[in-house]
Amino acid sequence: MSTKLRAAIVGSTGYGGVELIRLLLAHPHVAITSVISSSNAGASIADGYPHLNQILTDKLDAVDVDLIREKADVVFLATPHGVSTELSPKLVDAGLKVIDISGDFRLKSGRDYEAWYKHKAADPAYIAKAVYGLAEVLADEIRGAEFISNPGCYPTATLLGLAPIAASGWMDPKSVIADAKSGVSGAGRGLSLTVHYSEINENFLAYKVNKHQHTPEIEQTLSRLAGEEIVMTFTTHLVPMTRGILSTIYVNLKERRSEDEIFDLYRKYYEGRRFVRIRDKGKYPATKEVWGSNYCDIGLSLDPRTGRLTIISVIDNVVKGAAGQAVQNLNLMMGWDEATGLAFTPVYP
């Protein structure tokens, strides 16, 4: 490839943005041509992230649509919720490819967005234009798209765990419960009492009980896959680790199925999708086993006493739950092998 795709990253100083830098620096078809921060323009990216010294020392650009259009072909937005609502439409209108990692375009109902996110919803025309980027499930829609709304980290882990059973018609739509746990990097780099060391160390807590903004995102996609409305119970927890999400999911089946049938269903659904790994019977994944990678590992257990299926799904929230899936979506958009720049082994231990 003689000319690399030029990429800009808005929100480069957050965890999602700096992880995009790490991944895109290793991508053979992409060159980072602009790192952007509204609050730190003019400073070196390496000032805030010394691990980038002698690797990427560019000065941070301000948020300027004309400058971005001049310097880039594709823009990643790793911004707080509410920023992309106004910025993404301007970038799309400027003829740029856009991959939005925030939650501003994930929900197709502006009313639901405002109720759950407490921000004004985007223009409905742009909400309709944004393609939901759950790569393993909606790859055909992502290919050739110009505007991608990257899924949230919790929804990625939970939806990949549920997609095969939801699409099969075997699942009782009223029975879905997901109990998900995340490392503290999911809260971003900003300071708050919840992620203060002395508060989270040696602690384990539930938060946003029955109020987490990722709930309608999961329900929206599940309902689409199942062909009927899904309303679920979704509970999130914070654990004292840096990276990782483990989602334990429970569903009842409409009729008796064998565990062999369940495993066959999952393996066929994800056949050829290299970033989803189904564990063998009796084997269950841990977050450490996908650390630093774009993998989602899934373990399954069907309880013959209750007829209830338990699904264990793990991801690295900063990679598969954010920057890695964004790069995977870029690969699909551009017609490249979806594993380009992502085919690395998890870091262990």
Side-chain angles (χ1 to χ4, degrees):
M1 188 172 181
S2 57
T3 304
K4 291 189 174 185
L5 189 76
R6 301 174 303 160
I9 303 168
V10 182
S12 297
T13 56
Y15 288 145
V18 80
E19 190 73 344
L20 274 168
I21 289 172
R22 181 177 77 90
L23 299 179
L24 292 176
L25 283 172
H27 199 293
H29 305 327
V30 178
I32 299 172
T33 52
S34 180
V35 285
I36 300 164
S37 171
S38 60
S39 58
N40 295 286
S44 168
I45 183 69
D47 288 346
Y49 287 103
H51 72 287
L52 292 175
N53 273 317
Q54 299 184 40
I55 298 172
L56 183 72
T57 57
D58 294 13
K59 299 292 184 183
L60 290 158
D61 290 329
V63 179
D64 182 322
V65 173
D66 291 333
L67 180 62
I68 295 170
R69 179 173 53 186
E70 179 184 320
K71 298 179 74 170
D73 307 303
V74 61
V75 186
F76 295 88
L77 286 95
T79 55
H81 304 311
V83 174
S84 179
T85 300
E86 299 294 333
L87 185 55
S88 282
K90 295 175 183 177
L91 296 169
V92 170
D93 289 347
L96 293 157
K97 296 180 185 299
V98 175
I99 300 176
D100 180 22
I101 301 179
S102 81
D104 291 350
F105 291 88
R106 293 172 187 158
L107 299 182
K108 292 303 179 184
S109 166
R111 181 178 298 177
D112 285 348
Y113 174 83
E114 290 177 355
W116 288 86
Y117 281 86
K118 313 303 180 187
H119 290 287
K120 181 182 177 182
D123 184 325
Y126 292 92
I127 294 174
K129 188 176 292 187
V131 174
Y132 188 63
L134 189 63
E136 277 73 23
V137 177
L138 300 172
D140 290 342
E141 297 179 17
I142 297 165
R143 291 187 182 95
E146 298 292 323
F147 181 20
I148 298 293
S149 177
N150 218 58
C153 50
Y154 278 126
T156 296
T158 305
L159 286 169
L160 290 177
L162 280 166
I165 198 71
S168 72
W170 299 354
M171 180 182 80
D172 177 351
K174 297 180 180 180
S175 70
V176 184
I177 298 172
D179 176 15
K181 304 94 178 168
S182 176
V184 294
S185 61
R189 208 182 193 197
L191 301 177
S192 72
L193 182 62
T194 304
V195 297
H196 190 289
Y197 179 81
S198 58
E199 298 286 337
I200 190 58
N201 182 49
E202 298 186 273
N203 200 5
F204 181 28
L205 59 95
Y207 68 102
K208 293 187 179 179
V209 177
N210 293 326
K211 295 179 180 179
H212 199 285
Q213 69 272 14
H214 285 161
T215 304
E217 179 183 344
I218 300 169
E219 292 176 343
Q220 174 181 270
T221 304
L222 278 183
S223 298
R224 178 180 175 185
L225 291 170
E228 59 184 318
E229 185 179 11
I230 304 290
V231 178
M232 66 181 295
T233 296
F234 179 61
T235 307
T236 55
H237 302 77
L238 196 61
V239 297
M241 63 184 183
T242 301
R243 291 176 181 246
I245 283 177
L246 187 149
S247 187
T248 304
I249 309 156
Y250 309 95
V251 299
N252 293 339
L253 302 183
K254 292 179 178 178
E255 57 187 57
R256 285 204 171 271
R257 298 281 177 176
S258 70
E259 198 168 62
D260 285 339
E261 287 179 292
I262 298 294
F263 273 87
D264 187 55
L265 171 72
Y266 271 72
R267 289 189 172 119
K268 285 182 177 177
Y269 190 92
Y270 288 123
E271 187 175 2
R273 306 317 299 267
R274 62 180 298 176
F275 290 122
V276 175
R277 304 187 296 189
I278 307 300
R279 293 296 175 88
D280 291 337
K281 284 185 185 181
K283 306 290 186 181
Y284 305 101
T287 58
K288 194 73 170 177
E289 294 156 359
V290 296
W291 203 87
S293 81
N294 199 52
Y295 287 106
C296 173
D297 284 9
I298 296 172
L300 304 162
S301 178
L302 181 61
D303 186 345
R305 300 177 309 108
T306 62
R308 185 175 296 119
L309 176 65
T310 301
I311 306 158
I312 312 292
S313 177
V314 302
I315 63 169
D316 182 316
N317 58 296
V318 188
V319 187
K320 185 60 172 172
Q325 187 159 219
V327 173
Q328 187 178 359
N329 283 327
L330 174 66
N331 291 335
L332 289 168
M333 289 172 77
M334 298 303 297
W336 302 329
D337 184 313
E338 67 179 319
T340 305
L342 296 168
F344 41 80
T345 303
V347 176
Y348 199 93

